[in-house]
Amino acid sequence: MFMLKSLFGKVWNDPNAAELAQISTGQLYLVRPDSVKGSRECIYQNAMATIRRVMTADFHFQLVVTRVFEEGEELLLDEDDETDQERSFLIDEALQFRSGTFEDQPTFLWRDLEDDEDDMFEYVATGANGPTVAFFQTSMYKAMYERKYGKSSADTTDEDLQQFVHDSQTSKGSPEAIRSHKDPSLTAAMAKLSVSSTQPPQIESQSPLSHKPVMISEPATLYLWDVEIEQFKRQGDVEACIIENGGRDYWLQARGRDAFASHQVGPELNPRFATVVHSMSWNQFSPRGVQQSYCIRFNDPESFGRFKEAFAQCQYEMLHDVSWDKVKADEQQYALRSYDEDVEMADGAVEEEEDEEEVESELGAEEEEEEEEEEEDVQQEADPQAKSFQEGGMNKQLVVSKERSYVENRGRIGVFKNSNDTGELQYIATINKLVSPNGRPFVPKKMMLHNQDASMVLQNPDAPNSLFNLDIETGKVVEEWKVHDDVPVEHMAPNTKFSQAQPDRTLVGASHNALFRVDPRLSGNKMVDSQYKQYTSKNKFSSVATTASGKLAVGSGKGDIRLFDALGKNAKTALPPLGDPILGVDVTANGRYIIATTKTYLLLIDTLIGEGRYKGQLGFDRSFPADAKPMPKRLQLRPEHVMYMGGNVSFTPARFNSTEGQEENLIVTGNGQFVVAWDFNKVKRGKLDKYEIQRYAKRVVQDDFKFGADKDIIVALEDNILSTNKKQLRPATRKSLSSALESRSSIVNSPY
């Protein structure tokens, strides 16, 4: 009997075990107590019963009865019989599962939930012995327990499972012909199989989600992405719910008779709302490592709108740990608007486009690529000297000028020439050792080109209050700029968007709560006191970007974004946080648009004031009216694409292409093995998910546009540095994405 107890542990504790219990020989009957056709109808003369794990949803199982054919029997089937070879039932206590006997053979009975409530299915387990039957029955109860309470049944006791033991004698509509009795031998076998425990069950303290308050419930249809047909496949009608589990812990659930999904609300879901088809889609990574993409489609725009608003509120509360009722009205609207899609921005170019396929693209197949060549990972062969530079280390940082690209690897900086003819990079040299003027070697925390690209400003983690000036021609650190005795330099930016290529000696610095000007020409400390401003609140500044005229956009780890017209002053505009930390920020040259990077989405903000006294001015120069804050737009990957890309999203800081005198038309970022680019003009027309990609053999560490070029992208991989062009990017389809599934172990890891 010890072997049987061990079997429970081996089978149920193995997350990869798809089939948990099986009886290989039996018959399946449909029992109708009041049917004129007779009380018993044989469905399968020879059948096998299996308890199968639902691999796409944790703590869910199916009872599957499969028809077993004798040799040659399958060839004689007609078309109708060929389609009826398996019956499956979601295991739930509503089945009123019970055991019994028929003609001295053990049986299992359960309700037919699809038709008459008095009808029942009966599986006669011909020849099965007591321990086998007991193991199967206990497995059914354990499956019911896991579905009901959303947790493992590994530590359950007999008392825990007793609630699922159904007395067929008292069940409604149980016909006399199938009335069963408890088999004493089965009861004894169950007792021997039981798992004892000295602790009494604490069902009430476990707070199962089924007993928790429902924040909202709307009728919908649940879909699951099918990788074979490349479509969302219908699973069944459900009630789309958000459950409050206490402590601002919320769960998204889809509850149906034939379909079920339950996932904790959080940014990892990568939620995406599609107004055109009234749907919400998301990703889920189960503890077993199974990744899936789900979609719920609502019946009408009203229910879709209500659910979207409720989800946004719950997500906000979870991220901020604050009640939605305590959030200012204008900040509520700012957060809610960030989930709106398909909204054209004010200066979106008007073009004729084919929109009939918009609905089909949401729930239907991906468009096929025009080119039929087999997609392969891009991996250019580096020359021997470049290989020597890459060996034994991993690329960490990238900075790009018009003529050259620089990549940092283990404290060494590789120098590459940007070719205008072939697009390939030519290795020039390696700056082998970075040593401060006091003789101490260091690995730079951050790098920035400076003073007509003749020098590079470095941050040394061992000297946080200083900056270091690297002369690129000599490859030597020639100066240490002590900025301030008490103020560290955590972030830096050029004075203006294009000043790195100009003879501008000063630059912008930031600590976690201060902004200031750094002038290396000053004697002593290099901070310009008149352009220093410390802010009393704990801002957690995380990134800085400047416009062509020197106005500043500053992101924070709290998720808010501040706009300044000059240093040494208070912000003109403070855009409230959505809850996710800002990892990077960039701004168009004219200051009209900001792109902010979070881990799972990009946030595009139009700074043009559209209403009120200062209509037509930018948020850098004037404050937005409280009731007319900008409508932020989320740029994110489609959940079904994320599944092909490895399941997680971790963006590198996004950048606009920057060519002085020309408007920006591309946004580029990296995720895992992929460079991802959005056509900025399409984004402004509301096409937020029409991005293109380029797949590489290794993880993308950082990417940026070649300075002064609008289509050439420099890409730093873990072990290489490459150049690509907008023309080489491809639409995101299964063909261009799916090979990432073969190596998903560690490919998604932003340097931030």
Side-chain angles (χ1 to χ4, degrees), residues 207-226:
S207 300
L209 292 178
S210 58
H211 299 161
K212 291 294 184 177
V214 178
M215 303 292 295
I216 188 172
S217 179
E218 298 286 353
T221 304
L222 178 66
Y223 295 82
L224 183 66
W225 184 259
D226 190 313

Side-chain angles (χ1 to χ4, degrees), residues 186 408 488 543 570 654 694 727 731:
L186 179 60
E408 184 268 322
S543 53
N570 288 327
Q694 177 66 68
K727 295 179 180 179

